[in-house]
Amino acid sequence: MNNPNIFKLEEYLGQYEFKAPYLLCCSDAESITMQEMIDMGSSSSKDAWNKLSLGYTEVSGLPLLREQITQSFYPKLSANNILCFSGAEEGIFCALYTLCDPDDHVIVLTPCYQSLAEIPALKGALISHISLREENYWRIDLQEIQNAIKPNTKCIVINFPHNPTGQVITKNELQDLVDVCRAHNLWLFSDEVYRLLGNPSEGWAPSAVELYEKALSLNVMSKAFGLAGLRVGWIACQNNDLLKKIEQMKHYTSICNSAPSEILSLIALENKDKILARNNQIVDKNLQLLDSFMDQYRELFSWVRPQGGCVGFVRYKKEESIDNFSKRLVDDKGVLLMPASIYSHSSNHFRIGFGRKNMPESLEKLKEFLQD
Ligand SMILES: Cc1ncc(COP(=O)(O)O)c(C=O)c1O
């Protein structure tokens, strides 16, 4: 196996994330302290926390946690349709590496979180990148996907709410995509890590796994819940044979999840509505500020207003490259944006993040820079 290409986004964040004071490109919601989380626990989960043994855990994830995941997200599935991972990233690696074979063909919507295309390519699959287009409001174009299908197509990879544009998929669009996958007997890998954060005008589409027997729905505690430090993610899939093979890949990566993180995830999911309401309130408020910002600086910037998640893709309208602008901004004011080049996207866009509580402060610093 060759080494994968450098993960540009993670490399970029690694360079600045713990140095730049104003992170205006984060893709996660505001986090929660350990104390707040423990205080939210029911008496039985507090008991589980206090009596927790710090040995190895079950490879597929704590059964109680997997049950809570199905109740919270996929009520028609059962705990054995869930396989837990260390974050969503391990789920992407194990699932796509297992699913794809050399010379398979895989369709990926771009721009995208790099590993969604990189891991199938690492395994030797041939990738068709289908570009989401701004003039189509970054929406999925089913016709383009259909045109790209070949006899050796194995899988379609989607991510909605989409990183970096914040576009969502509607229930009808998802159903149409499932119909196409079913007609061609394709797997559908659906990265849903931003689902339930935001307020899409047409409501939330279901998880792909609820509609399709060959779907893998990926989710995680990192984004909508703001709990990236737990490193707990999962894949939901109706096909237990595939889940078993993916689990066998996990033996080579993390083996099992962190015991404390499993209990903390359980507490978070028991308080799902409360945590999501708090995070959605922050996102709503920040989006309103961004609406006025976009209005005030419409000569400089434009965007398709995000429908879900906590990131959007803003076009910088000046001649200057967004790479240069972003570098000047972080050097001068410590405000971090994420230019399109990090997504290998040749445009003058940047990702903006609005999930964090201190986002208004970061936006003020950006304004200061623009006024200077
Ligand atoms: C679309 C998408 N999928 C997966 C991940 C990885 O998530 P995690 O950090 O929880 O592993 C990210 C992180 O930014 C993401 O944006």
Side-chain angles (χ1 to χ4, degrees), residues 27 87-89 92 113 159 163 191 193-194 220 222-223 231:
S27 64
E89 182 68 324
I92 294 173
Y113 188 66
N159 160 226
N163 172 2
D191 179 330
V193 299
Y194 298 97
V220 76
S222 308
K223 305 298 184 182
R231 310 309 298 137

Side-chain angles (χ1 to χ4, degrees), residues 125-171:
L126 308 166
I127 313 294
S128 284
H129 296 272
I130 306 280
S131 300
L132 298 174
R133 287 171 288 110
E134 189 172 25
E135 58 276 20
N136 192 30
Y137 305 97
W138 307 116
R139 299 204 79 90
I140 191 167
D141 182 334
L142 198 62
Q143 193 55 54
E144 276 192 67
I145 292 180
Q146 270 177 303
N147 294 345
I149 293 174
K150 300 177 186 195
N152 60 339
T153 304
K154 168 75 76 67
C155 179
I156 297 178
V157 179
I158 61 170
N159 160 226
F160 291 106
H162 180 243
N163 172 2
T165 67
Q167 189 48 280
V168 297
I169 191 164
T170 64
K171 183 172 182 200

Side-chain angles (χ1 to χ4, degrees), residues 330-356:
V330 73
D331 287 348
D332 188 9
K333 299 283 181 194
V335 177
L336 190 67
L337 302 177
M338 185 174 285
S341 57
I342 300 299
Y343 288 86
S344 302
H345 194 256
S346 55
S347 68
N348 227 25
H349 289 77
F350 64 89
R351 180 174 98 180
I352 196 161
F354 46 89
R356 300 275 179 96

Side-chain angles (χ1 to χ4, degrees), residues 309-337:
C310 58
V311 294
F313 213 34
V314 180
R315 187 148 60 89
Y316 179 45
K317 294 176 168 176
K318 293 287 167 192
E319 282 287 298
E320 179 189 16
S321 80
I322 189 61
D323 291 283
N324 200 54
F325 178 87
S326 305
K327 181 83 176 63
R328 288 197 296 118
L329 176 65
V330 73
D331 287 348
D332 188 9
K333 299 283 181 194
V335 177
L336 190 67
L337 302 177

Side-chain angles (χ1 to χ4, degrees), residues 58-243:
E58 288 195 33
V59 178
S60 53
L62 181 72
L64 210 56
L65 173 61
R66 288 186 294 128
E67 254 165 52
Q68 184 66 49
I69 290 171
T70 53
Q71 269 176 39
S72 303
F73 298 95
Y74 327 101
K76 289 190 209 134
L77 303 192
S78 69
N80 66 8
N81 298 119
I82 308 294
L83 175 56
C84 292
F85 292 99
S86 175
E89 182 68 324
E90 188 189 28
I92 294 173
F93 183 88
C94 290
L96 290 177
Y97 200 83
T98 303
L99 194 60
C100 300
D101 288 315
D103 301 325
D104 278 345
H105 173 242
V106 174
I107 295 173
V108 185
L109 306 185
T110 55
C112 70
Y113 188 66
Q114 191 173 329
S115 48
L116 294 172
E118 195 72 38
I119 303 306
L122 183 67
K123 189 70 182 287
L126 308 166
I127 313 294
S128 284
H129 296 272
I130 306 280
S131 300
L132 298 174
R133 287 171 288 110
E134 189 172 25
E135 58 276 20
N136 192 30
Y137 305 97
W138 307 116
R139 299 204 79 90
I140 191 167
D141 182 334
L142 198 62
Q143 193 55 54
E144 276 192 67
I145 292 180
Q146 270 177 303
N147 294 345
I149 293 174
K150 300 177 186 195
N152 60 339
T153 304
K154 168 75 76 67
C155 179
I156 297 178
V157 179
I158 61 170
N159 160 226
F160 291 106
H162 180 243
N163 172 2
T165 67
Q167 189 48 280
V168 297
I169 191 164
T170 64
K171 183 172 182 200
N172 288 342
E173 286 168 338
L174 182 61
Q175 186 58 61
D176 291 346
L177 179 64
V178 163
D179 292 344
V180 168
C181 288
R182 200 174 267 133
H184 293 269
N185 194 26
L186 307 180
W187 291 97
L188 176 61
F189 186 91
S190 175
D191 179 330
E192 300 169 3
V193 299
Y194 298 97
R195 196 163 170 272
L196 305 185
L197 191 60
N199 190 13
S201 52
E202 294 188 42
W204 287 107
S207 283
V209 68
E210 294 176 287
L211 296 184
Y212 185 37
E213 59 286 355
K214 288 189 74 175
L216 297 90
S217 284
L218 175 76
N219 211 333
V220 76
M221 300 309 301
S222 308
K223 305 298 184 182
F225 290 85
L227 300 171
L230 294 184
R231 310 309 298 137
V232 170
W234 60 88
I235 281 178
C237 180
Q238 294 183 32
N239 187 308
N240 288 101
D241 292 339
L242 178 65
L243 276 185

Side-chain angles (χ1 to χ4, degrees), residues 37-38 41 44-53 62 64-65 230 232 258-270:
M37 187 58 81
I38 296 291
S44 67
S45 46
K46 276 185 183 142
D47 200 42
W49 176 251
N50 289 327
K51 295 192 179 136
L52 182 66
S53 151
L62 181 72
L64 210 56
L65 173 61
L230 294 184
V232 170
S258 137
S261 290
E262 291 192 320
I263 303 294
L264 294 169
S265 301
L266 187 63
I267 297 176
L269 291 181
E270 284 168 356

